[in-house]
Amino acid sequence: MRYAYAFTAALLLGGSSVALVNGTPVTAQTAQNEDHVMRALAPGGAPMSFADLAQQLQPAVVNISTKQTVKVESNPMAGLFGQFFGQRGAQQGQPRTQEAQSLGSGFIISADGYIVTNNHVVAPGNENATVDSITVIMPDRTEYDATLVGRDSDSDIAVLKINAKGALPFVKLGDSTKARVGDWVVAIGNPLGLGGTVTSGIVSALYRNVGQGGVDTGGAYDRFIQTDAAINQGNSGGPLFNLNGEVIGINRAILSPTGGSVGLGFATPSEVAAPIINALKSGEKIERGYLGIQFQPLSEDLAASIAGVPDKNSGAFVQSVVPGAAAAKAGIQPGDVITKINGQAINLDNTLAYVVANIPVGQTVPVEVVRNGQRKRLNVNISQRPSDEELASLAGDDGGDFSEQDDSMAEQAAQADLGIATVELTPTIRRQLRLNADVQGVVVNAVDPNSDAARKGISRGAVILMVGGAAVPNVQAFERAIDVAQRSGKEAVLLRVQPLGGRPPLFVPVRIQDE
């Protein structure tokens, strides 16, 4: 699940300088986390207190709220019964609007009022919503109208601008490449509307690959600093500080079975965020590398069936190649396993999507593939990633119609233990099925019409959320859960299914098919 977390910034008005409570003066054009200031404050080793650090940094952390207008379809019965109850207003079938709000955090990065936050903090809540206004709230409750300078949905980063009469306190981005597992970190934000909340913890892991589907499902920019500092809804977009007062991450997401913090928080590293922030500030287009292939991580069965591939953590399997794209020009073929690109090994932690997206467009790099048991070295010229709309048109099955299935799909499903063939819930399919960001599971691609699943009403386009009470964030987890049920002698499994069309999830018992 994704939840919001962030930090609040304090604006101290009335003069060209601000005096901090610890007595350290900071000029208007000096960052709150300037090196010479932080050296005097940063505790060495295990700190006795984070108080001085928090007071020094809070003036540059802000709360961010939006007001949104959401179009809601009118009740079709309102026109029939409204006349009897004296209701006036929208005609039958005419959409009406409701107001909505969002709340998150951010931090000021320059004295003239540029602010960094998460894109999802300031983006419309759904396709029927529009953002009417963005407000930045300082710790002293001073409010400013904010302008959206730029946003990047892939990295979930947005840059805002506010205009104040004087210079604003700000913080600088640090170097996240120097972070180590076990380092202390501090988060300051607005969890659940509790502004100015400070939490602390350590760096639990680096470059964690986490996406909407859970661990090892991340995309091109889903590489996070993992921390056990408490992060909750409302913290999104705020900074994660090290003990030198440097912003080494932007708090973005949590993994939680409850929706609250369980010590699994994730922040976008500053090394990833910095070039995107600079590009957004200057109005430049965000460029990402692109090969022009459809690929998938290696499964155990897939790795075992391909000669020359030692295990499932040794590359990415090429399903198809877009004609005329960079990969096709380089000679990459369907069935290849890409094991290394630009000198970087491809595995579950260093995925192909992440590596390629971060290679400069126009650069020619070496690619190592396994083909028919033989290793080959190719050279590919990295191209510009197309828009989401263009990618959707190239996505094959991901862009297909989920309302019907053909005979070949039914045959595939008939071979499955439940009579159900599933595919990963990709961003393209998520958009097509209009699923909320917090829906996680596997998508039913086909159902054997003679199966118990079909008799129970499960159809193509439904999302299986859980098997036997356990979440199934990907196809591998789904198949493993069914296998465990079979090995334990169960004749049926209990599925939690999100039906096609946005209806509420249902529990559906499905019998396991005989061999």
Side-chain angles (χ1 to χ4, degrees):
M1 291 186 181
R2 285 174 65 174
Y3 290 96
Y5 25 148
F7 311 112
T8 38
L11 172 66
L12 304 181
L13 299 175
S16 60
S17 65
V18 291
L20 301 179
V21 292
N22 56 26
T24 304
V26 179
T27 64
Q29 297 300 322
T30 301
Q32 298 297 119
N33 54 354
E34 199 66 52
D35 291 344
H36 73 276
V37 176
M38 299 312 303
R39 278 196 295 268
L41 297 175
M48 294 295 294
S49 172
F50 296 102
D52 289 342
L53 193 71
Q55 290 176 357
Q56 183 74 21
L57 300 172
Q58 275 186 316
V61 186
V62 299
N63 294 347
I64 297 172
S65 67
T66 69
K67 289 185 178 180
Q68 303 185 20
T69 299
V70 183
K71 291 183 179 179
V72 181
E73 292 297 326
S74 297
N75 183 348
M77 302 302 292
L80 177 62
F81 293 104
Q83 56 183 314
F84 297 112
F85 295 97
Q87 295 177 1
R88 299 287 192 271
Q91 299 296 317
Q92 181 176 351
Q94 185 178 10
R96 54 192 177 87
T97 61
Q98 293 180 344
E99 287 189 356
Q101 290 184 312
S102 69
L103 193 63
S105 306
F107 55 101
I108 305 172
I109 60 170
S110 65
D112 57 349
Y114 282 96
I115 295 170
V116 173
T117 187
N118 282 150
N119 176 60
H120 74 263
V121 170
V122 295
N126 58 52
E127 62 182 7
N128 295 321
T130 56
V131 175
D132 300 320
S133 64
I134 303 173
T135 302
V136 170
I137 307 167
M138 314 304 287
D140 64 357
R141 303 188 185 278
T142 302
E143 297 186 3
Y144 293 94
D145 292 331
T147 301
L148 179 65
V149 175
R151 59 157 42 113
D152 179 56
S153 58
D154 289 329
S155 61
D156 199 21
I157 292 173
V159 174
L160 310 177
K161 179 71 166 62
I162 62 175
N163 295 314
K165 294 181 179 179
L168 295 168
F170 65 98
V171 291
K172 301 183 300 181
L173 292 175
D175 184 359
S176 58
T177 64
K178 297 180 181 179
R180 302 170 61 200
V181 174
D183 284 348
W184 286 99
V185 288
V186 173
I188 311 171
N190 185 37
L192 304 175
L194 301 173
T197 297
V198 179
T199 58
S200 65
I202 64 170
V203 174
S204 303
L206 293 169
Y207 305 111
R208 183 69 81 191
N209 173 10
V210 180
Q212 291 293 338
V215 179
D216 294 336
T217 65
Y221 282 87
D222 292 334
R223 290 299 176 279
F224 300 112
I225 297 172
Q226 180 182 329
T227 179
D228 64 352
I231 291 172
N232 287 284
Q233 296 185 55
N235 276 126
S236 280
L240 186 70
F241 293 105
N242 62 18
L243 289 198
N244 293 322
E246 299 169 332
V247 179
I248 61 169
I250 303 172
N251 295 315
R252 178 173 168 186
I254 65 172
L255 281 180
S256 172
T258 64
S261 175
V262 293
L264 296 173
F266 302 92
T268 302
S270 59
E271 67 195 87
V272 173
I276 297 172
I277 293 169
N278 291 335
L280 293 175
K281 277 185 63 179
S282 59
E284 298 175 7
K285 182 179 180 180
I286 305 296
E287 292 189 339
R288 291 187 170 86
Y290 177 71
L291 282 180
I293 63 173
Q294 283 187 296
F295 65 94
Q296 69 178 69
L298 290 173
S299 64
E300 291 183 3
D301 290 342
L302 194 57
S305 67
I306 301 174
V309 178
D311 54 54
K312 67 177 183 179
N313 200 34
S314 300
F317 182 76
V318 179
Q319 287 282 10
S320 62
V321 179
V322 177
K329 293 177 181 179
I332 296 174
Q333 300 177 6
D336 285 349
V337 176
I338 298 177
T339 59
K340 187 178 290 186
I341 184 167
N342 200 26
Q344 298 189 54
I346 302 303
N347 50 54
L348 291 175
D349 295 317
N350 199 44
T351 64
L352 184 61
Y354 177 76
V355 175
V356 172
N358 289 280
I359 298 175
V361 173
Q363 182 173 329
T364 298
V365 298
V367 178
E368 295 184 16
V369 304
V370 174
R371 181 185 301 165
N372 300 325
Q374 302 295 317
R375 292 189 175 270
K376 293 182 176 293
R377 182 184 173 96
L378 307 169
N379 292 309
V380 61
N381 184 265
I382 302 298
S383 61
Q384 167 68 33
R385 180 182 183 272
S387 66
D388 289 343
E389 291 75 16
E390 292 172 314
L391 287 175
S393 68
L394 300 172
D397 286 344
D398 281 1
D401 181 6
F402 273 85
S403 61
E404 298 180 359
Q405 66 182 39
D406 57 32
D407 292 339
S408 64
M409 292 177 182
E411 292 175 3
Q412 179 188 9
Q415 303 302 314
D417 295 320
L418 295 184
I420 299 171
T422 60
V423 295
E424 303 288 350
L425 178 53
T426 65
T428 301
I429 294 178
R430 184 182 295 278
R431 288 192 297 271
Q432 186 176 3
L433 297 179
R434 298 182 179 180
L435 297 173
N436 293 330
D438 60 350
V439 175
Q440 299 177 24
V442 294
V443 181
V444 176
N445 194 41
V447 181
D448 177 6
N450 299 315
S451 67
D452 186 53
R455 289 190 289 272
K456 298 290 179 56
I458 296 177
S459 62
R460 186 170 190 247
V463 180
I464 299 175
L465 308 173
M466 306 180 77
V467 175
V472 285
N474 51 52
V475 172
Q476 184 179 4
F478 172 77
E479 292 176 347
R480 184 167 56 246
I482 302 303
D483 183 63
V484 169
Q486 281 185 303
R487 291 177 183 274
S488 65
K490 292 183 178 179
E491 297 182 356
V493 293
L494 187 63
L495 307 181
R496 186 160 173 77
V497 181
Q498 172 75 63
L500 186 66
R503 288 173 288 164
L506 303 170
F507 285 103
V508 183
V510 177
R511 297 190 65 82
I512 299 174
Q513 299 196 133
D514 295 332
E515 295 289 337

